[in-house]
């Protein structure tokens, strides 16, 4: 699947990685304030309350949601209940930059998922774009010296992030399914709320299981409240709105390459909040990632 990128589509697919980079930073900062799965549940519970006044009618019998509840239950499981919970679990033992770098394998998983489950062929340009894009994130991982790549050791958090990336790949391809009535997808808030409603149920169940296994107690504070507000509004409502629109315009395979901007944004945000100045290899990595996006999205 190839497409010509418009400025609007580029914006829609670039803003989510920036917001998700902030989500990784915040998730790491909160790792000792509350359990990761509970964090995911609270995040989406707040997002549900934000979306409800905007799209409450989607729950009416005539809206078409309930006739296709299985599809939305699966979207809620993959995109809401699993991906973010696994990411927050990953941040318990891994750094934000490592977590986002592991997620940079998204183009590979996206292409494999489309090929295996959705009968979508993989072009040579997409493979070439994947190589360029992954080279960019490896350059960040290697901190400008390729020998550091050989020193990489995966921890539990990295494995959680691999599972999260696979879940997100399936979720993104399912966004293109339009078997249900157009009324649900006609309004972005309705479409997102339909997913969040089921996602909150999934994440709530997972949070109960986490508590049963003996999770750390919550340390309530204004810092925690502000962080919850950010992850609910920015990386959740706004990012999901833009991602859904961008994927529908450009396709999941092209959108996957924009996800590779997340580790670059994470490095920049880490530098801003931790006082670490960006290096020249960040610029080189940006060029490789953008090059991968352009190659994968160019016409034959």
């Amino acid at each position: 699947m190839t497409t010509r990128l418009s400025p609007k589509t580029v914006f829609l697919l670039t803003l989510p990685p920036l917001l998700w980079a902030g989500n990784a930073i915040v998730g790491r900062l909160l790792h000792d304030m509350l359990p990761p799965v509970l964090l995911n549940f609270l995040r989406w519970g707040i997002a549900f309350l934000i979306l409800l006044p905007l799209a409450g009618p989607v729950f009416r019998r005539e809206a078409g949601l309930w006739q296709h509840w299985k599809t939305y239950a699966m979207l809620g499981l993959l995109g809401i209940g699993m991906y973010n919970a696994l990411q927050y679990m990953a941040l318990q033992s891994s750094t934000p930059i490592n977590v986002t770098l592991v997620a940079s394998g998204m183009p590979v998983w996206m292409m494999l998922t489309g090929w295996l489950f959705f009968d979508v062929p993989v072009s040579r340009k997409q493979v070439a774009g994947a190589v360029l894009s992954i080279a960019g994130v490896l350059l960040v991982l290697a901190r400008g010296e390729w020998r550091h790549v050989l020193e990489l050791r995966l921890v539990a958090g990295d494995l959680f992030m691999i599972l999260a990336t696979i879940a997100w790949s399936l979720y993104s391809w399912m966004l293109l399914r339009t078997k249900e009535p157009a009324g649900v997808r006609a309004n972005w808030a309705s479409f997102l709320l339909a997913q969040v409603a089921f996602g909150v149920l999934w994440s709530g169940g997972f949070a109960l299981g986490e508590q049963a296994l003996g999770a750390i107690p919550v340390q309530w504070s204004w810092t925690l409240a502000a962080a919850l507000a950010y992850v609910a509004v920015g990386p959740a409502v706004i990012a999901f709105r833009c991602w859904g629109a961008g994927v529908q315009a450009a396709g999941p395979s092209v959108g996957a390459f924009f996800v590779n901007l997340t580790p670059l944004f994470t490095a920049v945000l880490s530098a801003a909040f931790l006082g670490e100045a960006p290096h020249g290899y960040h610029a080189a990595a940006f060029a490789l990632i953008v090059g991968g996006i352009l190659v994968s999205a160019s016409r034959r």
Side-chain angles (χ1 to χ4, degrees):
M1 182 180 297
T2 57
T3 184
R4 187 177 298 277
L5 294 172
S6 68
K8 178 181 178 181
T9 303
V10 170
F11 173 77
L12 289 172
L13 292 174
T14 301
L15 183 59
L18 176 60
L19 294 171
W20 291 331
N23 183 51
I25 299 295
V26 172
R28 180 61 177 173
L29 291 173
L30 299 181
H31 79 280
D32 58 351
M33 294 186 184
L34 78 168
V37 182
L38 178 60
L39 169 58
N40 187 55
F41 171 67
L42 293 174
R43 171 194 185 184
W44 288 109
I46 296 171
F48 177 84
L49 296 177
I50 294 172
L51 292 167
L52 190 59
L54 301 175
V58 74
F59 296 121
R60 294 176 181 172
R61 183 181 298 273
E62 64 272 15
L65 168 62
W66 302 114
Q67 292 89 327
H68 300 271
W69 68 270
K70 292 182 180 179
T71 296
Y72 286 93
M74 185 58 65
L75 286 171
L77 171 63
L78 295 171
I80 310 298
M82 286 184 61
Y83 179 80
N84 292 278
L86 287 167
Q87 183 186 48
Y88 290 140
M89 290 170 65
L91 289 165
Q92 297 291 300
S93 58
S94 191
T95 64
I97 188 64
N98 235 46
V99 165
T100 53
L101 282 167
V102 171
S104 69
M106 182 74 71
V108 176
W109 293 112
M110 200 74 79
M111 287 188 292
L112 285 175
T113 300
W115 178 59
L116 289 173
F117 301 106
F118 298 90
D119 299 320
V120 178
V122 177
S123 70
R124 291 182 179 179
K125 287 188 175 182
Q126 286 177 312
V127 174
V131 172
L132 283 174
S133 194
I134 292 176
V137 296
L138 284 177
L139 186 59
V140 175
L141 177 62
R143 300 189 297 280
E145 298 183 29
W146 292 110
R147 62 183 178 84
H148 289 307
V149 175
L150 300 177
E151 301 170 359
L152 176 65
R153 295 293 183 272
L154 293 178
V155 298
D158 301 325
L159 299 178
F160 283 135
M161 203 60 215
I162 290 174
L163 293 176
T165 304
I166 295 173
W168 187 260
S169 299
L170 289 168
Y171 167 81
S172 295
W173 278 110
M174 287 188 66
L175 286 177
L176 296 184
R177 290 191 169 184
T178 56
K179 294 182 179 180
E180 74 276 15
V184 180
R185 298 199 183 210
N187 179 276
W188 72 268
S190 297
F191 185 42
L192 182 54
L193 181 60
Q195 302 171 57
V196 172
F198 287 101
V200 168
L201 294 177
W202 286 113
S203 57
F206 295 152
L208 288 175
E210 180 183 56
Q211 293 297 315
L213 293 174
I216 64 172
V218 180
Q219 299 180 24
W220 293 106
S221 66
W222 287 111
T223 299
L224 177 57
L228 287 173
Y230 168 75
V231 298
V233 176
V237 175
I238 296 176
F240 269 64
R241 170 7 179 194
C242 293
W243 177 258
V247 164
Q248 288 182 325
S253 293
V254 173
F257 288 91
F258 282 84
V259 175
N260 275 1
L261 291 172
T262 306
L264 184 64
F265 289 146
T266 302
V268 173
L269 291 177
S270 295
F273 286 100
L274 300 178
E276 299 176 356
H279 299 282
Y281 62 80
H282 288 124
F286 180 80
L288 287 170
I289 292 170
V290 172
I293 293 170
L294 295 177
V295 168
S296 67
S298 64
R299 294 187 181 274
R300 294 180 184 275

